[in-house]
Amino acid sequence: MSTSRSLTPSRRGILAAGGALGIGALLAACGGGKDSAGADGDAKTGPWSFTDDRKQKVSLPHTPRRIVAFTGTAAALHDFGIDDQIVGVFGPTKLKNGKPDPQAGDLDVDKVTIIGNAYNQFNVEKYAALRPDLLVTNMYEPDALWFVPDDSKDKIAKLAKSVALTSSRTPLIKIIERYAELAGSLGADLKATKVTDAKARFEKASAALRKAAKAHPVKVLACSGSPDLFYASNPGINADLMYYKSLGVDLIVPDHLDKGGYFESLSWENADKYQADVLLLDNRTATLQPKDLAAKPSWAKLPAVKAGQITPWSSEPRFSYAGAAPLIESLAKAIEGAKKVK
């Protein structure tokens, strides 16, 4: 099942930023990459294994040298120091103007082979040609590999083993720690200055957000806009929102969640159901932004909009300290400058 980039934002939409969602695409961990010359000559040698969040232990005769990953996953691993081992990516990688998609983070998108820039663009032939040792991606729903199309999942599964890390229903910090664990197993130096500095920045940002939330007890609604519907997101299931809430941010919890539990979909006539002081607005290119929403009378009437208290929300965060720190800093700044609107 899939949802086009222009349709409702959810984990059948709200998480399908760079394309649509193929939830239900479980890749069986069968087959394996060929023991080919590695892209990273410094990668650790010898037997390698890792137990992913499906509780599947993936084992190979050597540390994976040729990794293909969902773009955001690759970007997070890159933040921890995995670089040359990443030979291919799938998912939102380049924008129409050729620049890197925000989900690519600091990944050099010109160094990797893009085997699909949106959902259902996963090119199995290109994937096979890369001779992958391992496929790595997120998992928003149990046993569902993010951006791996249902119609080709069996072919993909035969070409290399896969690792999936959970991306929802678990606080952001816990997911980042799992990414660090995977990166470490792949040979990353978790004590490198780049990593420790990013972690220090993350911790400083988290402390600042906790302080801001306590000093400015404003109500925050994480939301997303489409032409026909306004989505109020659930801080009990989105990893980043769960973490922000644990730091004291007063995030509104929708009371009539849609199937899946990620959000409540509201008609624009009912967009004012929740009285928020600050709107944390989904900023992906698949969703409507303030300039697009300005023509909607119900949007313009929202108290937070009138007060100019709207801040961007990267609803598909990069699961690394380097990726998450700027997002936390941005929210802390928005709350520090906010006031109650009613």
Side-chain angles (χ1 to χ4, degrees):
M1 109 183 115
S2 65
T3 308
S4 74
R5 185 180 179 90
S6 62
L7 296 184
T8 62
S10 66
R11 285 301 177 284
R12 229 184 114 173
I14 208 161
L15 281 175
L21 164 70
I23 280 183
L26 167 62
L27 279 187
C30 63
K34 296 178 181 177
D35 191 0
S36 54
D40 186 347
D42 296 327
K44 293 193 299 183
T45 59
W48 175 87
S49 67
F50 184 84
T51 301
D52 73 1
D53 291 340
R54 297 170 295 183
K55 307 303 181 187
Q56 292 186 10
K57 184 176 181 179
V58 181
S59 299
L60 291 170
H62 58 78
T63 301
R65 303 178 186 129
R66 302 182 65 80
I67 298 170
V68 175
F70 171 68
T71 302
T73 300
L77 290 174
H78 178 271
D79 288 340
F80 283 110
I82 301 301
D83 188 7
D84 291 342
Q85 287 155 273
I86 300 170
V87 296
V89 295
F90 56 94
T93 308
K94 285 188 177 182
L95 301 174
K96 290 181 179 179
N97 60 11
K99 293 183 178 180
D101 188 280
Q103 289 197 63
D106 294 327
L107 187 70
D108 186 344
V109 298
D110 293 321
K111 276 181 58 178
V112 294
T113 297
I114 301 171
I115 61 173
N117 201 56
Y119 187 72
N120 261 345
Q121 289 184 3
F122 194 114
N123 188 310
V124 180
E125 288 72 26
K126 274 190 178 182
Y127 179 58
L130 287 173
R131 294 169 289 116
D133 292 321
L134 187 70
L135 180 147
V136 188
T137 190
N138 295 337
M139 182 172 65
Y140 286 101
E141 294 297 319
D143 295 337
L145 298 200
W146 194 231
F147 268 70
V148 174
D150 283 333
D151 59 2
S152 54
K153 64 179 183 180
D154 294 335
K155 291 180 182 177
I156 294 167
K158 292 176 182 178
L159 295 169
K161 294 190 177 183
S162 60
V163 162
L165 295 184
T166 191
S167 304
S168 66
R169 300 178 177 85
T170 302
L172 178 68
I173 183 64
K174 296 297 183 184
I175 300 176
I176 291 175
E177 289 169 355
R178 281 291 278 159
Y179 265 88
E181 185 181 350
L182 174 59
S185 81
L186 294 170
D189 179 6
L190 301 182
K191 294 182 180 179
T193 301
K194 171 185 174 181
V195 179
T196 57
D197 283 355
K199 185 175 182 181
R201 181 180 174 184
F202 175 90
E203 292 171 346
K204 182 179 179 181
S206 298
L209 180 56
R210 187 187 295 277
K211 182 179 179 181
K214 186 175 182 180
H216 304 271
V218 291
K219 288 190 174 295
V220 180
L221 177 66
C223 56
S224 190
S226 75
D228 300 320
L229 295 169
F230 180 69
Y231 300 89
S233 293
N234 179 12
I237 197 169
N238 292 277
D240 54 343
L241 302 183
M242 290 178 73
Y243 184 61
Y244 302 158
K245 198 169 181 66
S246 75
L247 295 176
V249 177
D250 187 2
L251 279 153
I252 293 170
V253 181
D255 59 23
H256 192 68
L257 297 170
D258 293 7
K259 184 179 180 181
Y262 285 98
F263 58 85
E264 176 179 355
S265 56
L266 299 165
S267 66
W268 277 106
E269 290 75 13
N270 294 314
D272 61 353
K273 177 177 178 179
Y274 300 107
Q275 296 303 307
D277 301 306
V278 176
L279 295 179
L280 189 57
L281 183 67
D282 190 342
N283 68 348
R284 296 168 304 160
T285 53
T287 64
L288 299 184
Q289 300 308 301
K291 61 180 176 58
D292 307 311
L293 294 166
K296 291 187 175 293
S298 51
W299 167 261
K301 291 177 181 177
L302 294 176
V305 175
K306 287 182 178 180
Q309 295 181 171
I310 308 167
T311 191
W313 174 35
S314 296
S315 63
E316 286 189 71
R318 197 161 87 240
F319 295 114
S320 66
Y321 298 115
L327 308 181
I328 299 171
E329 291 167 349
S330 175
L331 180 57
K333 184 177 180 181
I335 290 177
E336 285 169 0
K339 61 183 179 181
K340 285 190 171 294
V341 293
K342 278 196 175 183

